[in-house]
Amino acid sequence: MTLHIQLAQIPLQDGDTAANLARVLALIASAPAGTDLIVFPETTLMGFPSAEEIAAVAEPLHGPTLAAVQQAVRAANVAVAIGLAEVLDGRYYNTTVLLTPEGVQLAYRKTHLWASDVGVFEPGSQLPVATWRGRKIGILICFDIEFPETARALASQGAELLLVTNGNMDPYGPVHRTLMTARALENQLFAVMVNRCGSGGGLDFAGESMVVTPGGDIQLALGRDQALASTTLDFALLDASRRDYHYLSQRRIALAGETSATAAGASAFLIP
Ligand code: BAL
């Protein structure tokens, strides 16, 4: 079984939802034939809003911006993993959704806040996994991958594909290059990371989006500049990586925390 994915490493405009949405809609409409999933960066749709802007730009998952993306996803018959600034019950979250022609399959709220997230977003408290196209998928956002427990919490629920939406800036590019390989290898799953590029808010974003196989090989690695790159995830590599040993079933130390079944083929690890 394979998944054809496109990595959309793009610059973003902080606080300018209209500009970011226009770019996203154009990329969805022009996705190469046969693409199953396009992965975008962290907070793609709003960029990084400031504490002063967040109330004005944050939207609920049923808001107009994600509705426009949903319409484009249906028209192009592709799925997207895309970030947004979400408002839910009066609280703001740095959220990434897996949005398919059928709707929101997965919504993940960044659980480990980077310094610039604090005061703008609240941390999420769940690490959910959903099943799509027969594969269990989990999402992390940027700083999350710097904590091994996060990917392990997804893998403990059977995750086979980790999607990471990034807004990683200089000088931390090498940190994520190393850790994406580690997260894939130690959990024997595909890890796909798409970072922002360009600059904004006084930051230079590192780009360097990548795909790592369950065996820890770098299947695709981009540079620092804007790029669209397609590749195919062959899940036979996941089975091969687990043939002689399986870290998850052989580990002797489990994570502290409960996992709840949330829907058919879906679950969530609850941070205590
Ligand atoms: N190394 C930066 C992590 C973040 O911006 O979430």
Side-chain angles (χ1 to χ4, degrees), residues 108 111-112 127 140 144-145 147-155 183:
Y108 170 67
T111 52
H112 294 70
L127 292 134
L140 294 177
D144 289 325
I145 69 165
F147 301 85
E149 299 86 355
T150 55
R152 181 52 55 94
L154 297 174
R183 300 292 91 89

Side-chain angles (χ1 to χ4, degrees), residues 56 122 142 154 187 199 241 249:
E122 299 288 329
C142 212
L154 297 174
N187 294 294
S199 58
S241 77
S249 57

Side-chain angles (χ1 to χ4, degrees), residues 42 110 114 116-117 141-143 146 167-169 172 176:
E42 177 180 10
K110 189 174 185 180
W114 179 246
S116 54
D117 294 320
I141 302 173
C142 212
F143 196 38
E146 299 179 34
N168 194 33
M169 69 294 288
Y172 304 108
H176 282 205

